[in-house]
Amino acid sequence: MSATLYQQIQQFYDASSGLWEQIWGEHMHHGYYGADGNQKKDRRQAQIDLIEELLKWADVQTAENILDVGCGIGGSSLYLANKFNAKATGITLSPVQATRAKERAQDIGLSGRSDFQVADAQAMPFADDSFDLVWSLESGEHMPDKTKFLQECYRVLKPGGTLIMVTWCHRPTNNAPLTADEQKHLEDIYRVYCLPYVISLPEYEAIARQLSLNNLRTADWSTAVAPFWNIVIDSAFTPQAIFGLLTSGWQTIQGALSLGLMSRGYERGLIRFGLLRGTK
Ligand code: SAH
């Protein structure tokens, strides 16, 4: 991974995670608004519902040893550790996030069953066959080498274990290549959210097939999650959020000013919310 991208991602999350938690809570991912995206619900509940719907979709009923790849401040890791009475390990590029995740674990009495580390998902510091659930929610879009990322997820997965990978994608390009305008829209999103590039869900599926993941399944949940961005936009314009933004640096301000890029990306069918699951 190039040092500059690595540093940009780290700085982005170091600077913005405190504000995100203060305004939006511990989950740094989309919410689920029903398959047709029409359910009205509290934003935090929608984020928890996304986790629950993903587990159902992926057919995961139990787990003992969970790895959360790109864990933020441990929103999913601790939720899953609690739900399954399991051990959870989370990795992030941001030392601020890892420290905060450990504090949160302590606060809710889960520090004995959780561990958070600053580590690179493309070169994980874990032995082969270590985890029975590898969970990656909205971190794949940051990875410069999508193949290496999925290879690592596969390597650390125990035989019989399940991988769930959920990530921002662009639309499939088998019928029509991306237009110059779509490419420009994507590049604006890459710049603001520190992404090297995204790929389509069929491209992720092709990588996963080469890894010989079993029971492979993919799904596009764009419609179910797209309402999230308008809800985030509404809540970004409160005095508390604006004050927080002004004190968290330019990259965070830019991220907030650019929330419309994502909602417009969904509206035009360019941005897609891709799911992939498989077993080893
Ligand atoms: N999954 C979390 C956080 C999503 S934000 C949640 O849903 O709440 C994206 C996360 O991916 C951040 O924690 C960021 O540090 C992490 N990330 C990005 N690139 C990474 C890499 N190469 N290795 C490990 N973590 C990475």
Side-chain angles (χ1 to χ4, degrees):
M1 178 184 288
S2 80
T4 44
L5 177 68
Y6 190 104
Q7 285 162 352
Q8 279 169 8
I9 297 171
Q10 178 198 322
Q11 283 161 11
F12 177 69
Y13 286 107
D14 277 354
S16 62
S17 296
L19 178 65
W20 181 276
E21 184 183 9
Q22 191 193 334
I23 309 289
W24 291 296
E26 73 275 35
H27 297 288
M28 306 176 74
H29 56 80
H30 285 73
Y32 183 86
Y33 297 90
D36 57 7
N38 283 335
Q39 282 175 11
K40 301 275 173 277
K41 56 175 99 160
D42 168 69
R43 183 194 39 72
R44 185 163 182 279
Q45 186 59 50
Q47 290 175 307
I48 291 169
D49 289 353
L50 179 69
I51 297 177
E52 289 292 341
E53 292 293 331
L54 288 172
L55 292 171
K56 258 193 253 166
W57 175 80
D59 205 14
V60 171
Q61 278 112 21
T62 56
E64 284 176 10
N65 197 7
I66 301 163
L67 176 65
D68 187 357
V69 183
C71 63
I73 59 169
S76 301
S77 338
L78 296 175
Y79 182 87
L80 295 170
N82 193 38
K83 178 181 172 78
F84 292 127
N85 204 8
K87 179 170 188 299
T89 303
I91 60 170
T92 168
L93 291 181
S94 156
V96 169
Q97 286 188 329
T99 302
R100 182 63 194 131
K102 283 186 199 160
E103 273 172 17
R104 292 192 51 251
Q106 186 99 41
D107 289 349
I108 55 181
L110 282 178
S111 50
R113 282 200 275 125
S114 60
D115 179 30
F116 294 94
Q117 302 182 21
V118 174
D120 180 3
Q122 295 189 187
M124 296 192 210
F126 306 117
D128 298 358
D129 305 340
S130 294
F131 303 95
D132 61 353
L133 176 62
V134 174
W135 171 274
S136 170
L137 182 49
E138 302 187 40
S139 67
E141 58 271 23
H142 286 295
M143 307 295 166
D145 185 337
K146 314 295 188 201
T147 303
K148 187 80 194 113
F149 159 57
L150 282 179
Q151 272 170 350
E152 278 292 272
C153 291
Y154 182 80
R155 180 182 68 75
V156 300
L157 191 62
K158 272 187 183 159
T162 302
L163 164 68
I164 305 180
M165 195 275 308
V166 179
T167 189
W168 303 6
C169 299
H170 65 60
R171 67 168 172 80
T173 48
N174 23 350
N175 292 332
L178 296 172
T179 65
D181 188 60
E182 285 178 317
Q183 196 59 49
K184 156 94 180 44
H185 190 156
L186 286 174
E187 269 152 28
D188 287 342
I189 290 176
Y190 299 163
R191 198 181 51 253
V192 172
Y193 297 110
C194 301
L195 313 180
Y197 60 94
V198 301
I199 59 176
S200 67
L201 189 54
E203 289 172 281
Y204 274 111
E205 188 173 345
I207 297 172
R209 288 213 182 281
Q210 293 201 332
L211 296 174
S212 31
L213 272 169
N214 299 316
N215 306 306
L216 191 61
R217 242 186 303 134
T218 60
D220 180 330
W221 280 12
S222 306
T223 310
V225 305
F228 179 73
W229 288 90
N230 288 330
I231 292 162
V232 170
I233 290 171
D234 288 347
S235 46
F237 292 99
T238 59
Q240 189 198 14
I242 291 169
F243 177 75
L245 275 174
L246 293 175
T247 53
S248 3
W250 174 237
Q251 185 76 30
T252 309
I253 296 176
Q254 243 199 334
L257 292 176
S258 310
L259 293 165
L261 280 173
M262 286 299 287
S263 53
R264 285 197 301 280
Y266 278 117
E267 271 161 33
R268 71 190 294 205
L270 172 62
I271 295 292
R272 302 294 177 93
F273 193 74
L275 281 57
L276 182 147
R277 64 85 76 191
T279 54
K280 184 167 178 181

